[in-house]
Amino acid sequence: MLAVIGGSGLTQLASLAAVRREVVRTPYGEPSGTLTFGRIGAQEVVFLARHGHGHTIPPHRVNYRANLWALVKAAGAEGIISAASVGGIRADLGPGALVVPHQIIDTTWGRPQTFFDGGEAPVVHADFTEPYDRALRERLLCAAEAAGLRVSGSAVYAATQGPRLETAAEIERLARDGADIVGMTGMPEAGLARELAIPYAAICAVANWAAGRGDSASAIHFDRLEGVLHEAMGRVRRVIEHLCETEV
Ligand code: HPA
């Protein structure tokens, strides 16, 4: 079973032949919404909309622990693909680009970020040197190639707190730190997946130039963003479909 967590612009998987929906409760509270179970090709898939079906949950209020727990412990997912929208920082990652990041810089705060939060169980310090699963990233990149879609396979994802967008100086600093793309939901999601020892990879659609870059030099133009994201998430969906239809 493969889990797909859909972000902004991907609140459902059209190709998912939905078999059933399930409301799941977890020791960490409620996940973002019902889990949709189904199949793409031969692959069993469980889908969850990260921000809720009506896109009402902001990035800092997503119950990441409940989402991960529901997908892995309740639904039995053995791998997780995150689809997320991001801002582009690196010069070759403008609006419309697709990216499978390989590294993370986390600047989020105040989000419950661990399953090892005291109590009876001994603390585990999960290794996070490579935050994304290599094999799953490779599968995403191969699926994109098979689908004839261009995807950048190397990028550092900076996770910011949101929901406000960044200042131009914040983006400049992130760029100096080595960040190539910026989003608000990559953490603690990836870290929690690692704590559960579940392979996790992300495919990101660049919705806009990050603050201060390209046509976002003086402001981010939301009117352009929606159309770009819609089209790019269509390609993300095709990559995920290809991945599901390909035997491992
Ligand atoms: N910054 C942070 N998160 C984002 C952006 C951005 O510019 N665009 C889409 N998600």
Side-chain angles (χ1 to χ4, degrees):
M1 167 97 67
L2 184 70
V4 177
I5 305 178
S8 303
L10 192 75
T11 50
Q12 53 191 29
L13 277 175
S15 51
L16 186 71
V19 175
R20 69 194 159 93
R21 291 178 212 284
E22 202 175 299
V23 177
V24 175
R25 295 222 157 66
T26 81
Y28 301 96
E30 287 187 22
S32 296
T34 53
L35 305 189
T36 305
F37 292 84
R39 193 176 276 288
I40 299 176
Q43 175 71 57
E44 280 195 84
V45 174
V46 53
F47 179 81
L48 175 63
R50 183 183 285 113
H51 299 284
H53 289 292
H55 204 280
T56 51
I57 309 171
H60 64 294
R61 288 206 175 270
V62 170
N63 191 340
Y64 296 96
R65 289 195 300 188
N67 286 354
L68 273 281
W69 190 270
L71 292 170
V72 174
K73 300 292 184 184
E78 293 152 324
I80 299 173
I81 289 174
S82 153
S85 73
V86 293
I89 299 178
R90 202 170 75 203
D92 62 323
L93 299 179
L98 300 190
V99 190
V100 173
H102 74 291
Q103 273 295 337
I104 295 176
I105 295 174
D106 185 14
T107 74
T108 65
W109 49 270
R111 307 179 181 191
Q113 57 178 315
T114 181
F115 289 111
F116 301 111
D117 214 13
E120 300 288 292
V123 176
V124 174
H125 298 285
D127 173 59
F128 206 42
T129 312
E130 288 196 16
Y132 300 107
D133 183 74
R134 240 177 219 233
L136 203 46
R137 289 184 60 249
E138 206 51 48
R139 282 181 70 192
L140 279 167
L141 294 170
C142 287
E145 198 176 324
L149 295 169
R150 237 169 105 122
V151 176
S152 175
S154 163
V156 177
Y157 176 108
T160 56
Q161 178 68 359
R164 70 161 176 82
L165 290 155
E166 299 74 32
T167 68
E170 285 168 340
I171 291 299
E172 207 43 55
R173 182 169 88 171
L174 288 171
R176 282 197 302 276
D177 283 348
D180 300 310
I181 51 176
V182 58
M184 299 173 188
T185 58
M187 286 294 288
E189 198 171 87
L192 290 165
R194 181 57 54 84
E195 284 191 348
L196 295 178
I198 292 297
Y200 175 99
I203 177 161
C204 302
V206 178
N208 56 280
W209 282 112
R213 317 234 141 191
D215 67 355
S216 301
S218 57
I220 285 170
H221 303 283
F222 292 98
D223 48 332
R224 294 176 205 165
L225 192 149
E226 207 126 299
V228 171
L229 185 58
H230 180 78
E231 188 281 327
M233 275 299 176
R235 280 181 282 132
V236 165
R237 202 179 287 139
R238 278 168 58 200
V239 173
I240 294 172
E241 286 164 8
H242 258 263
L243 182 146
C244 289
E245 284 156 7
T246 312
E247 296 292 324
V248 190

